[in-house]
Amino acid sequence: MNDYWLGGRDHSEMHREFADRVAIAAPYLPYLVRAQRALLQRMVRHLMDQGLRQFLDLGSGLPTAGHVHEIAQERDPAARVVYVDFDSSIVDDGRRLLTGNDNAALLETDIRQPRTVLDILRERRLLDLREPVAVLAIAVLQHIPDSDDPAGVIAAYLDAMCPGSYLALSHYGPDEHLTKGITRFSQLNFGQVPAVTFRDRTSVALFFAGLELVEPGIVPIIKWRPDPDDDPGINPEQHPIFAGVGRKP
C-alpha cells in the first residue's frame, strides 16, 4: 500500500484497491506517507555525512521506492543495511527485491524482540556492532503499545551499539483527524485497522534518553532539515508527526 502511494511498482491490484479505500477515510494519509519517506531519505543522507555506513531499519516495510539501501548505497555501495519486519509477505517480496545485493538483508523478526534481532546480526555478521550503527524507527513505534515498553525496546538496541551510533525516528502525535479517519474506515467496513498509540512530543523525547539530540531537535517531520525544494504540503501542526535524531555519546 505504501509502495503504491510512493509511486513504486511492487504492489498488486488488491493493494491499490485497499489503499484507495484507506484514502477515502483519510485523504491526507498518502501525503503523510510520502512526507515520511522524504524525511527518511534526508535522515539517511545526514547520517552518511556524519560517516555512518551501517543502518538497522526496524519495522521497515517493503524495501523499495527510495528506501534506505537505495539512498545509502547510491553514495557508498559498501554501505550495509539490515531491514527488519515480521510480515512474511513483505519479507518474501523484499528478499526478492534485494537479490544480488550482498550489503542489504531483510530479517523476518518481531522488532519487539531486540535480543533475537541482535543475536542474528552477530551470528550472521550482517553488521559490525563494534562500529557505529544508525538505528531507524520510522513510523513504527506508534504500533507498539505502552504495555510492550517501546522505550525499553529502543533502549535495548542502543545499549548494544557503540558510541557514535544514532537513533532516527518519526512518530505520530495526537491527531484528531487521523482518529476520525480510523473511525470512518471502521464504519465503512473496509477492513481491520492497525492499532495506533499516539504519543506527544514529551513522550517521544523519552526514546532519546541518554542521547545527544541533533539540531533542530524533535520537530514536525517537514521541519526536520528540509531541502530547499521540499513541498511543505500541509500545516505541520495540523497532523503532528514528530521526528528526531540522537547520537550515542
Side-chain angles (χ1 to χ4, degrees), residues 181-222:
I182 291 172
T183 301
R184 189 178 305 118
F185 189 88
S186 299
Q187 291 172 340
L188 292 171
N189 296 317
F190 281 163
Q192 184 176 0
V193 181
V196 178
T197 299
F198 299 116
R199 296 182 175 96
D200 59 20
R201 190 191 304 262
T202 300
S203 298
V204 171
L206 297 177
F207 293 111
F208 293 97
L211 303 181
E212 299 169 345
L213 274 173
V214 172
E215 290 293 335
I218 301 171
V219 296
I221 54 173
I222 62 175

Side-chain angles (χ1 to χ4, degrees), residues 14-221:
M14 178 188 69
H15 296 129
R16 290 192 291 273
E17 290 177 358
F18 188 76
D20 288 339
R21 290 180 179 180
V22 172
I24 290 173
Y28 48 83
L29 196 55
Y31 163 78
L32 296 179
V33 169
R34 291 191 291 269
Q36 295 203 78
R37 181 54 53 90
L39 168 76
L40 171 66
Q41 294 172 350
R42 297 197 304 274
M43 286 178 164
V44 170
R45 293 188 181 105
H46 172 77
L47 292 165
M48 294 287 288
D49 289 342
Q50 309 312 305
L52 272 292
R53 293 298 183 270
Q54 299 190 106
F55 298 85
L56 177 63
D57 189 350
L58 303 175
S60 62
L62 198 64
T64 185
H67 222 319
V68 180
H69 73 285
E70 296 179 357
I71 302 304
Q73 293 175 358
E74 181 180 30
R75 182 173 298 187
D76 184 350
R80 303 170 77 177
V81 179
V82 176
Y83 298 106
V84 185
D85 202 293
F86 76 152
D87 186 323
S88 58
S89 62
I90 284 178
V91 172
D92 290 342
D93 289 341
R95 286 175 174 167
R96 172 180 54 81
L97 293 170
L98 296 176
T99 298
N101 190 328
D102 294 335
N103 290 320
L106 176 52
L107 307 183
E108 184 178 351
T109 309
D110 192 329
I111 66 170
R112 294 172 294 182
Q113 301 173 358
R115 179 176 296 180
T116 299
V117 174
L118 293 166
D119 284 347
I120 295 173
L121 295 179
R122 294 186 182 100
E123 291 169 4
R124 294 175 53 184
R125 299 182 179 179
L126 297 173
L127 299 176
D128 184 353
L129 302 188
R130 298 169 299 179
E131 297 293 330
V133 174
V135 178
L136 310 176
I138 305 299
V140 66
L141 295 174
Q142 65 263 7
H143 298 301
I144 302 180
D146 291 337
S147 58
D148 285 343
D149 188 19
V153 169
I154 291 298
Y157 285 105
L158 294 173
D159 286 346
M161 306 303 168
C162 70
S165 295
Y166 284 79
L167 169 67
L169 65 78
S170 69
H171 197 300
Y172 280 85
D175 189 333
E176 177 184 356
H177 300 279
L178 185 55
T179 300
K180 290 180 179 178
I182 291 172
T183 301
R184 189 178 305 118
F185 189 88
S186 299
Q187 291 172 340
L188 292 171
N189 296 317
F190 281 163
Q192 184 176 0
V193 181
V196 178
T197 299
F198 299 116
R199 296 182 175 96
D200 59 20
R201 190 191 304 262
T202 300
S203 298
V204 171
L206 297 177
F207 293 111
F208 293 97
L211 303 181
E212 299 169 345
L213 274 173
V214 172
E215 290 293 335
I218 301 171
V219 296
I221 54 173

